[in-house]
Amino acid sequence: VEQVKLLDRFSTSNKSLTGTLYLTATHLLFIDSSQRETWILHHHIAAVEKLPLTTSGCPLVIQCKNFRIVHFVVPRERDCHDIYNSLLQLSRTAQYNELYAFSYNPKQNASEQVKGWQLIDLAEEYKRMGVPNANWQLTDANREYKICETYPKELYVPRTASKPIIVGSSKFRSKGRFPVLSYYHKDKEAAICRCSQPLSGFSARCLEDEHMLQAISKANPSNRFMYVMDTRPKLNAMANRAAGKGYENEDNYSNIRFQFVGIENIHVMRSSLQKLLEVSGTKGLSVNDFLSGLESSGWLRHIKAVLDAAVFLVKAIAVESASVLVHCSDGWDRTSQVCSLGALLLDSYYRTIKGFMVLIEKDWIAFGHKFSDRCCQLDGDPKEISPVFTQFLECVWNLMEQFPQAFEYNEAFLLQIHEHVHSCQFGNFLGNCQKEREELKFKEKTYSLWPFLLDEQKKYQNPLYNPDFSPELSLLEPNTVSFNFKFWRNMYHQFDRSLHPRQSVLDLIMNMSDENKQLEKDIKELEAKIKRRSGQVDGVLLKEPLPPAPPAPVLLKSPPCFQKEPPLVPGSDSVRTIEGSSSADNRYSEFMEELGKAEPAVVSLEYGVARMTC
Amino acid sequence: MEFAELIKTPRVDNVVLHRPFYPAVEGTLCLTGHHLILSSRRQDDAEELWLLHSNIDSIEKRFVGSLGTIIIKCKDLRIIQLDIPGMEECLNIASSIEALSTLDSVTLMYPFFYRPMFEVVEDGWRSFLPEQEFELLSSLTDEWRLSCINKEFSVCPSYPAVVIVPKSIDDEALRKVALFRHGSRFPVLSYYHKKNGMVMMRSSQPLTGTNGRRCKEDEKLINATLRAGKRGYIIDTRSLNVAQQARAKGGGFEQEAHYPQWRRIHKSIERFNILQESLIKLVEACNDQSHNMDRWLSKLEASNWLTHIKEILTAACLAAQCIDREGASVLVHGTEGTDSTLQVTSLAQIILDPRCRTIRGFESLVVREWLQAGHPFQQRCAQSAYSNSKQKWEAPVFLLFLDCVWQILRQFPCSFEFNEHFLIMLFEHAYASQFGTFLGNNESERSKLKLQQKTMSLWSWVNRPQELNKYKNPLFEANSLVIWPSVAPQSLQLWEGVFLRWNRSSKFLDEAYEEMVTLIEYNKQLKAKVNALRRQLAELETDDRMQENP
């Protein structure tokens, strides 16, 4: 469709770009008159809305899962209607094999595809943690997904937990998700375990489950006491008792300390994000409306609650050497958040690029976080959608802000992962659990995201990363006082560039650190050349030692071959352009257009956008 | 008066000092005329705290048995606690601190007693003279002149001795205009935009009163700055309502009928006690670590601090825009023209003029647009966020300006020669200092106090290379363009370097900053090395050729 206008989201004067809109099988593409391209993957589309017809045409608003919002005006209503219907169909997929991942072909051959999937090996990861060992072993109880459909096949349990105990315990746990090892802390010999809520109702008990917990606490020689963290608010947990579920009774379990930590459920989180987006998307927003909207959305409160829970867990392990069992209702949302963040705080490996991939594979993908439902990959129940994984990334981002040198990866890495959790371009996040993924043969039919990210890891490296920032298995102790939590502008306004700083320190330092490597190479070459020359002629050799190099980030092996996809990194333009300086880019210029018109009585500059009200 | 009279107990042993994020220090407390000194007796790392009495904003005392505790709240927002054994000693110390921190005579302030321990390379009092500024200007245009009309500060007490005015307006006319403007602050040149020759002027409100008085000379003066057929903008930093109310008190605003070539725009910027209240609330919110998220956000909102930041930045952007984009001259004023007016004119210059983003240029801006322009520092900065006295004239006007600069600096991290520490340093010295720079309310007072002869200038100290290094931004790359900041709420942030400075450890952030500096230094070294090697190689190659063809 030609002559389509793309409106600026925050402009109050309807500034727009005119161009042509294309629909492909996988993407929506807009090319404006200066040939700039905007690609939107159909899977990224969260909602399409047709607004009432205006004089200039029919407005079409598209909301994306990566928080991009585009506002088109299509000149003819018929076209608009067609686009609307096509987008509705294209963005709603009924079956997995219609997803982009199944048509996406990155020109990898079969062996590369297999190798890509083998990049992250969880058995290797457990070995790195130090299991199996004298106290923990691999169990084959779930080999055929017989005991628990949403768990992976390989599970680690205390050696003293026999098969009957496992089976018994799983029958007493919601969805059969019995307590298993998530992370083992070698030095403290303490473990993070995870499960779902017990089916205790008001009084039910299960001896096998009690034995199971005993086995976990006995597997820790340093401290016989263990914590049981119920990550739900107490009220929710109590309400669950009426449905025959609930929480552990301290009297029935010996040696446990029970603790609620009060993270809200997926529905609260979904509507909280909804409110946040409503506020941040308002045109002409005032500071006070923004702050009160931020407050009433509760979003930062939830982020803080998640991080507080992780800090509680970490203290139990690092200070008391006590093992901790974490659960919520089903043990795949809040439990995943808390376990993975806890491990990230405890173990510096997860703060490396590869380690973070492993962490996501382990605590999120393998343990059955329902990515398909939560991210609405297939047309499904809207009540199942929830930004649980986004919250996890936001917690990590907050940690990165507090510890700028502790992470090998940067913000762009988190944003890129977020992008692909929703893009359905790679197989990793498709489906809800491992069993489903195996049945649908994702590993044969789709590609893994991780080798591609590793391949372009240069973009994701934190130039300030210091691997010696803290000794092996070192602990991060974040400050969770409220004022440390900030609105994540680069996530929620990733595509609203006018709101961003006009010069990026990160990009600059990244380039500089690249340049330094090149310069080091140049120096070596030049020195070699000079040596050769001066061998012939008795030249004087400048003998200056190379300046002492700052610690270089650890480089990981990068697998071969990756072709860049157009919509991959939206913000990778050249670095030193100063956007505010060209008149086309800044919002005040709109003010001037209007200044010419009417005699003003009052001028209001809102949202960086100037507007006259006469 | 002798300070000794105020110091009943000059020395107490076994005093314990508590500061957040540091272990407690036990030592001897000494009071001098200007300092509170605590030195630990431990030999290994003798720690000393030197606190200027003038930095103390308020103190509280508490007793538990015979152990007294004094909590000292400073103007730089720090809070420290001293445990003093002995009821009497504690009471004495407290009353001495109270008396010494609220001396009412300026000439008793520390700057008059301070003897510099460094060699003065350049006298800061003579670093930024209006004459130099005018010299620069006259190389660009001859439409302006330096007027000595205010030589004895007789025409306008809050203006400097010399001001820059349109050439076509003589001193006689200026005298008449001065009578027509609040506090005699007639329109003077604030900034000349090299790119298009447009200017920014500032003044105070015209005294039109209820009957719409006019002054032909005033109209002539500001019209003299317009190009033929061009219009100008008057930016009034009050809302239309407030400006209208001002007429009842003899003030007012320029009527369209009398200034047909000018378009008036009202941008409301808050004043005085509202700003002071805002600061008090903000600091209170930042100092309470126990707030849950909702409470923190609502307190941050209730302080309105960021709203003020947004208002000021918006007005400054508007002024800059009129000049740069619209190609129009601008006159900025509020009521007195000593507060919000200066915020707008100085910030607009930072946006427009790359020179103001260098260290020296920024110092010059502070001298021109704040000190010489008559911002009453002594009144405004007498007390800070912990003061109990609700004096009408105390207001964090300068701190708000520095915060706005910080917001722009954050959005353009490579365009400023100075870093955040430079701004924090200026904030500290504006409120309490060993230097005379920020004493007095205007040039007239400063000249009466003989500050130039009797005190040391802050600039003499700051501009020494070893000191300056601390304040250099390693990312700086001169950028000759106009920089337009975003004023969206999502782009504005709390200035943690000031408001959270004492409330959380910045160890990891500081280390990361150091790492960044190292990286940049290393880059420079490598580049120099590559160049040296290239040269050497080239020399060798020419030598070779010479040998081949002798």
Side-chain angles (χ1 to χ4, degrees), chain A residues 453-480:
Chain A
L453 290 184
L454 273 186
D455 220 25
E456 36 171 35
Q457 63 168 310
K458 242 186 183 171
K459 278 196 251 169
Y460 308 125
Q461 265 163 5
N462 170 10
L464 300 178
Y465 174 57
N466 179 3
D468 307 323
F469 177 73
S470 32
E472 181 103 15
L473 287 180
S474 65
L475 180 67
L476 288 191
E477 291 172 273
N479 180 341
T480 58

Side-chain angles (χ1 to χ4, degrees), chain A residues 41-42 44 87 92 148 240 251 262 314 323 350 369 379 403 459 473 489 491 510 512 517:
Chain A
L41 192 65
H42 293 323
H44 268 149
L87 284 180
R92 284 186 194 162
C148 175
N240 261 305
D251 302 337
V314 164
S323 292
Y350 299 124
H369 173 68
D379 200 12
F403 304 98
K459 278 196 251 169
L473 287 180
R489 185 187 52 216
M491 171 64 95
M510 272 167 74
M512 200 168 272
K517 276 178 212 137

